[in-house]
Amino acid sequence: MAAQASFDVTSPVDFQEVDNALNQARKEVVQRYDFKGSKASIDFDAKESKLVLAADDEFKLNALWEIVSTRLVRRNVPVKNMHRGAALPAANSTVRQEITLQQGIPSDTARNIVKYLKDAKLKKVQAAIQGDQLRITSGSKDDLQDVMRVLREQDFGVALQFGNYRG
């Protein structure tokens, strides 16, 4: 019997890179002319995987999000894994917005990925959900390459990374 080849599909967020990107964004906010004298702030809670943006109004809040998302993209942090909440009124006539960071693949998304792989009719490929990641196994390395290609073409709402390849 041939050895089974496998790889893991994950969706991690590097919190150190998030922190670095947010520090850069804070520096940019301080230097930008349109934020002079405004009450703009960026707070990050790594334990709860939550980012809180606050600004004077929704226009500045959106501009603040653009600064943050640009910095995150430059530091290779997947913005797909961030889910923006609604802009809510806060104290001192400001607006705040909570953004949650999705660490790992949610169980419903993992089930959708497994169903998608079964519907793609890839022969002799098994997908198993293991916590917040997926393990894809097959007897053929070529089939695993096909799985990677198929998963890259489809959008599941989270940034997928392939690792722990074992041949």
Side-chain angles (χ1 to χ4, degrees):
M1 181 174 152
Q4 290 283 318
S6 69
F7 69 90
D8 292 337
V9 181
T10 59
S11 183
V13 174
D14 185 1
F15 286 128
Q16 184 61 49
E17 289 297 324
V18 171
D19 191 43
N20 292 340
L22 294 179
N23 287 334
Q24 288 178 346
R26 287 182 190 109
K27 288 179 184 176
E28 183 176 339
V29 167
V30 168
Q31 294 175 352
R32 282 192 37 171
Y33 179 76
D34 54 343
F35 283 100
K36 294 284 185 208
S38 69
K39 302 170 193 152
S41 68
I42 303 169
D43 297 320
F44 178 56
D45 185 5
K47 291 179 183 165
E48 293 187 26
S49 300
K50 191 184 304 182
L51 176 65
V52 178
L53 304 178
D56 293 335
D57 54 27
E58 276 199 55
F59 180 74
K60 285 190 179 173
L61 187 70
N62 288 332
L64 192 60
W65 169 248
E66 287 298 321
I67 293 169
V68 169
S69 63
T70 302
R71 294 298 174 181
L72 290 169
V73 167
R74 286 185 185 168
R75 300 204 59 96
N76 295 324
V77 176
V79 182
K80 266 187 175 181
N81 290 11
M82 300 194 176
H83 305 287
R84 293 176 68 184
L88 303 172
N92 295 333
S93 68
T94 59
V95 186
R96 66 189 300 249
Q97 183 175 42
E98 290 186 358
I99 300 166
T100 56
L101 282 74
Q102 175 64 47
Q103 183 75 317
I105 300 174
S107 60
D108 57 337
T109 304
R111 285 191 295 272
N112 289 341
I113 292 172
V114 170
K115 182 179 182 311
Y116 182 76
L117 289 176
K118 286 182 181 179
D119 292 345
K121 306 257 191 262
L122 296 168
K123 55 188 172 192
K124 300 179 184 173
V125 173
Q126 293 86 30
I129 300 172
Q130 297 180 338
D132 61 351
Q133 67 181 11
L134 289 168
R135 165 114 353 124
I136 312 293
T137 58
S138 177
S140 168
K141 293 178 185 177
D142 293 336
D143 289 342
L144 292 180
Q145 293 292 328
D146 289 340
V147 169
M148 287 183 195
R149 179 186 49 78
V150 165
L151 290 178
R152 282 188 184 110
E153 291 172 354
Q154 185 69 21
D155 182 22
F156 293 102
V158 293
L160 300 178
Q161 291 183 355
F162 308 110
N164 201 15
Y165 186 83
R166 296 176 190 194

